[in-house]
Amino acid sequence: MASITPDHTIIYKRVGALEIPMDIYLPKKVGNAPVLLWFHGGGLLQGRRDLVSPHMRNGVQTYGFICISADYRLTPQVSVGDVFEDVKDCIQFIRNDLPAHLGENIIDGSRLAVSGSSAGGFLSLLAGLYIDPKPQVIVPLYPITDPLGTFFTNSQPAPNGRYSASTEELAEYLDVNASPIASSGKVPGDPRSHLYVYMLRKASLAQLWGIAAGDESAAGQYRISRQIHQHALPPAYVLHGDADTAVGVEQSDEVVGAMLGCGLTVKYERPHGQDHFLDNGDGYQNPALYEFIMQYL
């Protein structure tokens, strides 16, 4: 299958000398189209915007939405709070500034779905909790939901035999005083691509996100299921395989359970035997997911 490339790349935020871009995929027939905003995974430690899955790129023409894939600053050079500031600024840019860049009657930024894979799914949940006004719908895909949950506070083996780098090999990327970056992994063999596996082995997600040990009050806002009763969530479609070795499926179980307990709208697809990145193949299709999204856009 030929790769679908973005129609536009726009800088939505600058922090000092650092530019943070978004890629925009437009349908052929566009007129006040809704937006599906997607954030990449990588534990907020690594990754980049061009890793958006083929089914999401293909959905632009099939369903007529504008797909936006945005970068954000990476931890541990910034905190999880800084990353969420990027998410807030990205959504504000889409709603308030992007129409002027794209032209008249192209985009309807008030009709917004927010999705993301893994750590990007975590960002979509933060958007659903704390952005005002809330997105119409969120689509967390095998999301991290609790950096202090059992999965991330106990050492995990390297998923699928991936390389487990030493602290010495990753010292440059673990340096909190190094200059922030907003994407990684374009260069083959980029050592930063080993940070996620390193974090799993060290059980150090909260630490790398800048959440101080023992500071439960500060960490609480990032433990998604504990915030749902107070802040609620918009309608959500959650996808998480029950054999996920990179983010334990109980992370989604807790959030879905909390949503159901609060009487919120949620559809949970929990395919048996499926691991992380289950939707990344060229042949993957999920009409039910897109029917759910379009129902609210």
Side-chain angles (χ1 to χ4, degrees):
M1 181 180 294
S3 176
I4 299 172
T5 58
D7 296 281
H8 302 278
T9 298
I10 293 175
I11 303 301
Y12 74 86
K13 181 174 180 176
R14 290 176 172 85
V15 183
L18 180 65
E19 297 181 333
I20 309 179
M22 58 170 58
D23 286 342
I24 302 169
Y25 301 81
L26 297 174
K28 291 188 174 91
K29 295 181 180 179
V30 60
N32 292 315
V35 175
L36 174 57
L37 170 63
W38 179 86
F39 292 105
H40 67 77
L44 308 185
L45 302 162
Q46 61 191 62
R48 60 187 194 271
R49 67 189 185 280
D50 64 303
L51 297 176
V52 60
S53 60
H55 70 84
M56 204 162 281
R57 301 183 198 220
N58 293 330
V60 169
Q61 305 306 332
T62 304
Y63 299 99
F65 56 76
I66 295 171
C67 180
I68 297 176
S69 177
D71 280 331
Y72 49 85
R73 286 173 291 171
L74 299 176
T75 64
Q77 285 70 45
V78 300
S79 71
V80 61
D82 295 320
V83 177
F84 187 46
E85 286 300 316
D86 293 345
V87 172
K88 289 190 284 188
D89 290 339
C90 180
I91 290 174
Q92 183 179 46
F93 182 89
I94 289 168
R95 286 173 166 168
N96 299 331
D97 301 315
L98 187 55
H101 288 267
L102 296 183
E104 189 175 357
N105 300 323
I106 299 296
I107 181 174
D108 183 354
S110 68
R111 298 159 63 202
L112 176 66
V114 182
S115 182
S117 304
S118 195
F122 173 77
L123 297 179
S124 75
L125 288 160
L126 288 185
L129 285 175
Y130 302 126
I131 295 289
D132 183 24
K134 292 181 182 294
Q136 276 65 40
V137 59
I138 59 172
V139 187
L141 305 173
Y142 33 92
I144 294 172
T145 71
D146 185 352
L148 294 176
T150 301
F151 185 84
F152 290 110
T153 54
N154 288 273
S155 179
Q156 305 293 335
N160 303 318
R162 288 167 60 185
Y163 180 68
S164 183
S166 68
T167 302
E168 292 72 25
E169 289 174 280
L170 296 178
E172 174 183 347
Y173 310 97
L174 294 168
D175 180 3
V176 297
N177 295 313
S179 297
I181 63 171
S183 69
S184 73
K186 270 286 189 183
V187 179
D190 178 5
R192 193 176 184 115
S193 65
H194 302 308
L195 270 182
Y196 193 86
V197 172
Y198 174 88
M199 174 276 295
L200 289 179
R201 183 166 55 86
K202 294 290 188 178
S204 59
L205 184 62
Q207 175 190 346
L208 292 172
W209 282 8
I211 297 172
D215 191 351
E216 183 63 29
S217 60
Q221 63 183 311
Y222 303 117
R223 308 189 76 177
I224 303 297
S225 64
R226 301 180 181 212
Q227 297 298 324
I228 291 172
H229 182 267
Q230 179 179 354
H231 295 282
L233 282 170
Y237 191 108
V238 181
L239 171 66
H240 206 142
D242 72 358
D244 197 320
T245 56
V247 178
V249 72
E250 72 278 359
Q251 294 260 315
S252 284
D253 291 346
E254 291 178 2
V255 165
V256 171
M259 289 190 71
L260 291 172
C262 292
L264 300 173
T265 300
V266 58
K267 183 169 182 179
Y268 191 17
E269 185 181 354
R270 195 178 188 272
H272 179 61
Q274 293 294 303
D275 203 343
H276 214 57
F277 303 125
L278 60 93
D279 67 327
N280 269 8
D282 284 340
Y284 182 86
Q285 298 183 38
N286 195 331
L289 183 151
Y290 288 102
E291 289 168 10
F292 186 92
I293 293 173
M294 300 311 296
Q295 179 182 349
Y296 296 98
L297 292 181

